[in-house]
Amino acid sequence: MRAQPPQDGSRSAQRRIAWRIVGSLTALPLDDELTRRSLIDSATSRLGGLVAGLRQRGWVEGVNFRLELRSTFGAPDRLKAAIQELLELKPDVILTGSTVETVAVLAATRTIPIVFATANDPVGNGFVESLAHPGGNVTGFTNSTAEMGGKWLQLIREAVPDLARVGILFNPSTTPRGGRFFLDSIEQEAAESGVSAIPAPVDAPADIDEAVRRFSEPPKAAMIALVDSFLVVNRKAVVAAAAKYRVPTIYPFHYFMDAGGLMSYGPTLEVRSADYVDLILRGTKAGDLPVQSPRKYELLINRTVARTLGLTIPFTLLARADEIRE
């Protein structure tokens, strides 16, 4: 059972004063306590990293703080209800895991501190006044910069030297600025390199197969999958379509590599949220904590997938890879 704060006695009263509540949203079902514990105890999960980091800073779940999880079950219409459930608990801080979640929580409260574990374009989305001085009740960590778009195109061009066009896969509803956040730098790089950049927006999982198929025919094409929560959720379908139609594709996160992708380039997703949650629990205002950018980016390449696609990855590109999978 979930630990509850003590309810009686003078010592209990003292403990109630110190007892803090950290709220968090997840898209995964929380059907039972075993599921909840597996999320928290996993060293590689966002929540597992948070709990471990807080423990190192003196915060022990069930002793001086309580972690309250609420699930959206991956459904947009469930998000509002999950947030309302958290707000009714009067948490000391709420941890969000995506841009979409942060938008929704910020719409519901301008007083409870919010820490986004990952988000894109927090200034453009109106989360903060500036990265250095957020102001308000929100701060956190970004996971990409706009210039990443051009870098993805450079890397996929090295893997596919005869590239004539590149498709940009994204869902306008779930990627930063409807895609423009990355498209500008992709289009600039494409113009300089003589490659045609063609947006390939998708609105539903059923659209993915056809969007990728369009780039399986001549002239030679590849694809870039943008940072997009929709694509992350549907990564198996995206990777399967790229394999089915033999379209070389570069992805923003290692999640896609785990599903069998060709290559990815993006930030190492360190769990640093415990730093800010700790400071907020000790009295620091969220708006006084600067938004932090990724500290390291990593390039992953799957050489077996490359051979399946008929590609010979240049040694100069392999030499720069942080990880080569076979």
Side-chain angles (χ1 to χ4, degrees), residues 279-312:
L279 288 171
I280 290 170
L281 291 178
R282 297 182 188 277
T284 304
K285 294 180 179 179
D288 292 339
L289 297 169
V291 174
Q292 295 190 36
S293 300
R295 294 186 288 199
K296 184 178 184 298
Y297 291 84
E298 59 182 2
L299 172 64
L300 280 63
I301 298 173
N302 190 314
R303 198 150 50 179
T304 299
V305 173
R307 286 193 287 266
T308 301
L309 296 173
L311 298 175
T312 300

Side-chain angles (χ1 to χ4, degrees), residues 155 263-265 296-302 313-325:
L155 289 169
M263 60 193 299
S264 68
Y265 181 74
K296 184 178 184 298
Y297 291 84
E298 59 182 2
L299 172 64
L300 280 63
I301 298 173
N302 190 314
I313 304 296
F315 173 76
T316 52
L317 184 56
L318 291 172
R320 303 203 307 275
D322 296 275
E323 181 181 340
I324 298 174
R325 300 187 180 185

Side-chain angles (χ1 to χ4, degrees), residues 51-321:
V51 171
L54 288 177
R55 187 180 300 117
Q56 293 173 354
R57 293 158 178 80
W59 298 99
V60 180
E61 193 194 9
V63 175
N64 55 4
F65 94 97
R66 185 167 88 243
L67 179 61
E68 287 286 351
L69 306 182
R70 291 297 181 272
S71 177
T72 67
F73 295 92
D77 58 349
R78 172 61 187 158
L79 181 57
K80 185 176 181 180
I83 292 171
Q84 186 57 41
E85 290 177 14
L86 280 180
L87 296 184
E88 289 174 356
L89 297 171
K90 295 180 170 50
D92 295 280
V93 59
I94 296 176
L95 179 69
T96 60
S98 71
T99 300
V100 173
E101 290 177 357
T102 306
V103 168
V105 176
L106 190 56
T109 178
R110 291 281 177 170
T111 57
I112 297 174
I114 301 167
V115 176
F116 49 82
T118 58
N120 291 287
D121 193 19
V123 176
N125 281 306
F127 299 164
V128 299
E129 295 174 8
S130 72
L131 299 183
H133 304 285
N137 64 317
V138 189
T139 188
F141 306 85
T142 63
N143 58 6
S144 292
T145 62
E147 293 73 22
M148 288 287 291
K151 184 65 176 180
W152 290 322
L153 180 52
Q154 292 173 8
L155 289 169
I156 197 67
R157 282 188 64 236
E158 288 189 61
V160 189
D162 55 344
L163 185 65
R165 58 195 180 113
V166 62
I168 302 99
L169 188 67
F170 64 99
N171 184 330
S173 299
T174 52
T175 198
R177 298 188 196 177
R180 290 305 331 167
F181 185 68
F182 299 107
L183 280 170
D184 289 344
S185 62
I186 293 175
E187 291 171 352
Q188 180 179 345
E189 178 66 27
E192 294 174 358
S193 57
V195 173
S196 296
I198 306 168
V202 291
D203 295 315
D207 300 334
I208 293 172
D209 190 86
E210 176 58 22
V212 176
R213 188 202 62 78
R214 290 171 46 205
F215 294 91
S216 63
E217 301 169 354
K220 185 66 175 179
M223 297 195 81
I224 298 171
L226 297 189
V227 173
D228 182 342
S229 58
F230 170 84
L231 295 184
V232 171
V233 170
N234 294 284
R235 59 190 177 278
K236 290 183 179 179
V238 174
V239 171
K244 175 181 177 181
Y245 295 112
R246 298 174 58 81
V247 179
T249 304
I250 186 168
Y251 304 97
F253 301 123
H254 70 81
Y255 308 132
F256 295 88
M257 299 296 291
D258 298 339
L262 169 65
M263 60 193 299
S264 68
Y265 181 74
T268 55
L269 298 179
E270 305 167 274
V271 181
R272 292 185 282 160
S273 51
D275 295 337
Y276 276 7
V277 171
D278 170 56
L279 288 171
I280 290 170
L281 291 178
R282 297 182 188 277
T284 304
K285 294 180 179 179
D288 292 339
L289 297 169
V291 174
Q292 295 190 36
S293 300
R295 294 186 288 199
K296 184 178 184 298
Y297 291 84
E298 59 182 2
L299 172 64
L300 280 63
I301 298 173
N302 190 314
R303 198 150 50 179
T304 299
V305 173
R307 286 193 287 266
T308 301
L309 296 173
L311 298 175
T312 300
I313 304 296
F315 173 76
T316 52
L317 184 56
L318 291 172
R320 303 203 307 275

